[in-house]
Structures are given as structure tokens and as C-alpha cells.
Amino acid sequence: MAQDSGLFIYGIVPSDVEPTPDAEGVGSPPGEVSAVRHGELAALVSEVVLEEPLGRPADLTAYERLLDGTAEVAPVLPVRFGTVVTGEDAVADLLDAHQDRFAAALDEFEGRVQYTVRGRFDEQEFIGELLAASRDAAALAEQVRGRPEGQSREQRIRLGEMISQSVELRRESENRELIDAVGRYAVADAARAPSHEMDAVHVAFLVAEEDEDEFIGAVEDFAEQRRELIRMRLIGPLAPYDFVSAHQLVE
């Protein structure tokens, strides 16, 4: 390995896991992914130039693609994005120092993958429902309709606050209802912070392989019941980012 390079670590896997020949890592051009083995464990790594900044969207995509693809065939403990060490000896030291914890976690996540359910309110539909249900909101909307912003600033602020509060309350309710509806098909769940002001649901689920079909069907039923109001997405299978990472086990 060149003096000015290091090893980017993607995740920890059982020692018998082999990267596919076409696996691509971070960097430009993409690094070749290999496995550094130590005892019953291995780390998926690729060489990176230390002076080259990491964090481009393409790098994050490569990181997630490798981990998610691995999770479909073997348990994997994600390592925090951007973790770079000096060489194979440093990787071996990491695996040796935490071998028991890593091995136990890999056993626990054998045959389990993450799915993330995201939904966003249709803004027009949501506000229409709010105005129909709240006389105060409807009155404020009528006061600002057709008036210049400067003349209705206070009313616009109050209406915006009402909409925001209503979204937050409805989001909490929808997250709970989603967990109630599909949680029986999941091993664990973790509500995630909203990434957009109109987010309706955002929950990660850890699902056993034998329950995937039932889980997906339950999510589809949940989404169908709300299709006029919420645009839903089911993302997965993924590596278990929200449930375990190598860093959580060593910190």
C-alpha cells in the first residue's frame, strides 16, 4: 500500500464472506473492495488516497450499496462512514480487540435485515383536511387569501404555526399506527427524526428473513389506506444501520 494511502473500512462480517468481483468502493476511480481477515471475523475495506476528500454523494452511495448488498447474503456490522486506518495491521488490531462483541452481534443479526418506511404528506391534501377540521385555521386562511404578504404577515405566521403543529402531532400518530400495524412482523423498530417538514412517517424496522413477505404486505396495506394523503416508500433490504454498528460496540 502506498505511503499516502489508507484503508477505508465499510463493515465487519464473518470471515468466510467474500466481496463480489465487481464490488466498488469509495473514491474516484472507485477502490477495489477486499476482506482483511482475523480469526472468525473479517473487515470489508478498500484503499483510499489520504489527501483525497471523502464525502461526495457518490462515496456515500458506494458505501451504502456495498453494505446493503452484503446484508442480503450475510450479517454485517456497518462501520461509521469515513473511517480510515493506516493499514491491514490496524484492521487486525480492531478485530482482535473486539472479537467477542463483534462475533456475538453478527450471530444476533444473522438472517435479519433493515427496512425503512418513509412517508410524506401531500401538502395540499393535508392543509385541506386541516382547514375542514379547524375553524381557527380556516378563518386565518380566509384572512390571508388574496392579501399582500405585508398586510397579512401576522396571520400567515399564525397559520404556518398551526400547520406545523398539526403536522407534528399527526406524524407522531402515524408513526405509532405504523408500528402497531406492522410491528408484529419485525424484531425491533426505531422511529427516525423527520428529514422534511411534511414528513408523515419515518421508521426503521429490523425484520427476519422468514417474515419479509408478511412485513412487506402489511406495509403495503398501511400505505393503501392512506394513499390520498401520504406518499409512502419502503426502502430495503438494508444493512442494520439503525440497530447496530461496529462503533456502538467499541464505544
Side-chain angles (χ1 to χ4, degrees):
M1 191 166 64
Q3 290 287 334
D4 59 350
S5 65
L7 289 179
F8 185 107
I9 308 179
Y10 299 87
I12 311 300
V13 294
S15 61
D16 59 353
V17 172
E18 291 280 357
T20 59
D22 59 347
E24 293 185 343
V26 301
S28 181
E32 180 180 349
V33 179
S34 61
V36 177
R37 307 181 200 283
H38 184 80
E40 298 180 354
L41 304 175
L44 300 177
V45 303
S46 69
E47 189 172 342
V48 292
V49 178
L50 296 179
E51 289 79 12
E52 181 179 326
L54 296 171
R56 303 172 307 149
D59 292 329
L60 184 58
T61 297
Y63 165 83
E64 292 176 341
R65 182 184 295 122
L66 178 65
L67 290 174
D68 296 343
T70 302
E72 292 190 54
V73 297
V76 58
L77 309 179
V79 171
R80 183 180 299 142
F81 178 81
T83 299
V84 177
V85 298
T86 54
E88 291 191 8
D89 288 345
V91 177
D93 288 344
L94 172 69
L95 298 179
D96 183 66
H98 306 286
Q99 185 151 186
D100 290 344
R101 288 185 178 182
F102 288 166
L106 287 170
D107 286 343
E108 180 182 351
F109 285 87
E110 176 76 40
R112 298 174 175 179
V113 292
Q114 176 173 320
Y115 281 88
T116 301
V117 181
R118 299 187 65 175
R120 186 166 293 177
F121 291 116
D122 180 288
E123 187 170 4
Q124 184 173 350
E125 189 73 21
F126 185 91
I127 293 175
E129 286 193 6
L130 174 62
L131 299 184
S134 170
R135 291 182 179 180
D136 291 341
L140 286 170
E142 186 63 32
Q143 292 173 33
V144 304
R145 188 174 292 115
R147 296 179 61 193
E149 289 190 18
Q151 297 179 15
S152 57
R153 185 172 184 275
E154 181 179 344
Q155 291 87 348
R156 290 177 186 274
I157 291 174
R158 288 168 56 198
L159 180 59
E161 291 174 343
M162 291 186 67
I163 293 171
S164 178
Q165 291 171 0
S166 181
V167 168
E168 290 182 13
L169 291 173
R170 184 65 179 271
R171 180 189 298 129
E172 292 177 4
S173 173
E174 292 293 345
N175 276 338
R176 287 194 302 269
E177 291 185 21
L178 172 64
I179 292 171
D180 288 344
V182 309
R184 63 184 178 275
Y185 303 113
V187 177
D189 58 75
R192 306 186 73 186
S195 59
H196 186 275
E197 60 184 6
M198 293 303 294
D199 271 3
V201 293
H202 198 184
V203 184
F205 295 91
L206 187 66
V207 181
E209 291 176 354
E210 61 266 25
D211 295 325
E212 284 185 85
D213 289 344
E214 289 85 355
F215 173 81
I216 292 171
V219 173
E220 290 175 344
D221 289 343
F222 182 88
E224 177 61 25
Q225 295 168 14
R226 293 156 172 80
R227 61 188 178 89
E228 299 297 331
L229 178 63
I230 303 175
R231 297 186 295 275
M232 303 279 291
R233 291 178 60 203
L234 176 62
I235 308 167
L238 308 171
Y241 303 103
D242 286 82
F243 300 96
V244 67
S245 75
H247 281 83
Q248 289 173 329
L249 297 173
V250 302
E251 290 176 344

